[in-house]
Amino acid sequence: MNPLSIPLTKGNTDRPDAEFFHSYEKKFKALADKKRLEILYLITNSTSVCVCDLSETIDMQQSKLSYHLKILLDANLITKETKGTWSYYQINQKEMNGLLSNQLCCIFRTEDSTCC
Amino acid sequence: MNPLSIPLTKGNTDRPDAEFFHSYEKKFKALADKKRLEILYLITNSTSVCVCDLSETIDMQQSKLSYHLKILLDANLITKETKGTWSYYQINQKEMNGLLSNQLCCIFRTEDSTCC
DNA sequence: CATTTATATCAAAAAAAATTGATTTATATC
DNA sequence: GATATAAATCAATTTTTTTTGATATAAATG
């Protein structure tokens, strides 16, 4: 047995449940790709972007881009607004700021006026 | 062409390089698994834990646990200290606090005394 | 010094995620 | 109304990640 054993939270009712860990897994999975991080950077640093704008700026074919945008959207890290044939994407500030440190401003998140 | 087009940062020299996005990809990949998040939760809420402690608390075989701990270690999210046959793992507070929001205290990170 | 215990590593298999090119849907334009 | 454009979806393939059980290493214990 471990000689320096410190009791862990086994059976602790305050311990987050499986659903809690699963919800964060989804968010971090969405962040766990350098192309999606680059997309987030671009979306963060512009008010509203369509797929065609992104497709030009980062070298990526359209179907691939839509695939990655859907992952970010499903994780609720970005939002979408459709105008005619165009889909405009925005950062979900509340979600991103609640997830990432202020140190990551203004790369993957925005300024936090309520802090410091 | 996009009628609401706002110029993106194409050719902007301030734009982070590929290496920057790659380094964060690695960190978020390490976070992108519910079992690793559960491991981090346990490590965060104890001063020092060995593999055998974790293996008892979360239902996971030893080789699998070592595999996941290595991923967290390689991403520099935790640190390791070996004493005899035991390996004790600690949270890398600086790294985690620089990555995650204060809102995630004290689940995946610790209290931030320098903020708010 | 043989045995047990803690942990890491390995190779093979299984599962999950990403890429590709084609197709579909819907709107805008001529 | 035919054609072009923007974006989403699909199925097949490729790549990456995870799981599994076995084995290796090294320290502790009898």
Side-chain angles (χ1 to χ4, degrees):
Chain A
M1 238 298 271
N2 169 20
L4 300 178
S5 189
I6 295 148
L8 281 176
T9 47
K10 194 175 187 175
N12 182 347
T13 50
D14 289 343
R15 191 171 157 188
D17 63 8
E19 176 44 33
F20 177 87
F21 292 116
H22 186 257
S23 73
Y24 279 97
E25 177 187 62
K26 191 171 183 181
K27 292 177 212 292
F28 289 126
K29 257 197 211 313
L31 293 171
D33 182 284
K34 55 179 184 285
K35 284 155 198 165
R36 287 196 292 270
L37 288 175
E38 197 176 348
I39 292 169
L40 279 174
Y41 168 75
L42 292 170
I43 295 179
T44 301
N45 289 284
S46 73
T47 45
S48 194
V49 192
C50 69
V51 180
C52 57
D53 286 335
L54 288 168
S55 185
E56 267 182 41
T57 311
I58 61 179
D59 189 40
M60 193 183 280
Q61 80 183 83
Q62 180 267 319
S63 73
K64 202 169 163 179
L65 206 39
S66 283
Y67 167 77
H68 286 296
L69 285 166
K70 185 161 170 35
I71 287 171
L72 292 170
L73 196 64
D74 288 347
N76 198 32
L77 303 185
I78 58 175
T79 58
K80 180 165 99 165
E81 206 181 337
T82 301
K83 279 180 189 152
T85 26
W86 287 273
S87 286
Y88 293 94
Y89 288 90
Q90 299 90 34
I91 201 85
N92 184 340
Q93 293 200 20
K94 196 180 170 192
E95 196 68 24
M96 289 298 278
N97 291 6
L99 199 57
L100 302 185
S101 92
N102 209 38
Q103 201 174 296
L104 290 176
C105 160
C106 307
I107 297 159
F108 306 130
R109 54 165 287 178
T110 52
E111 194 78 59
D112 188 355
S113 56
T114 67
C115 177
C116 308
Chain B
M1 237 300 271
N2 169 19
L4 301 177
S5 189
I6 296 147
L8 281 176
T9 47
K10 193 175 187 174
N12 182 345
T13 49
D14 289 342
R15 190 171 158 189
D17 62 9
E19 175 45 33
F20 177 87
F21 293 116
H22 185 257
S23 72
Y24 279 97
E25 176 186 62
K26 192 172 183 181
K27 293 178 213 292
F28 289 126
K29 257 195 209 316
L31 293 171
D33 182 284
K34 56 179 182 287
K35 285 155 197 165
R36 289 196 289 272
L37 289 174
E38 196 176 349
I39 292 169
L40 278 174
Y41 168 74
L42 293 171
I43 294 179
T44 301
N45 290 283
S46 74
T47 45
S48 194
V49 192
C50 69
V51 180
C52 56
D53 286 337
L54 289 168
S55 185
E56 268 183 41
T57 311
I58 60 180
D59 189 40
M60 192 184 280
Q61 80 181 80
Q62 179 267 319
S63 73
K64 202 168 163 179
L65 204 39
S66 282
Y67 167 78
H68 286 297
L69 285 166
K70 188 163 167 36
I71 286 172
L72 293 170
L73 195 63
D74 288 348
N76 198 32
L77 303 184
I78 58 174
T79 58
K80 178 165 100 164
E81 206 181 338
T82 301
K83 279 179 189 152
T85 25
W86 286 274
S87 286
Y88 293 94
Y89 289 91
Q90 299 91 36
I91 200 86
N92 185 340
Q93 293 200 18
K94 196 179 169 191
E95 195 69 27
M96 289 298 278
N97 292 5
L99 199 57
L100 302 185
S101 91
N102 209 37
Q103 201 175 298
L104 290 176
C105 162
C106 308
I107 297 159
F108 307 130
R109 54 164 287 176
T110 52
E111 194 79 59
D112 189 354
S113 56
T114 67
C115 178
C116 307

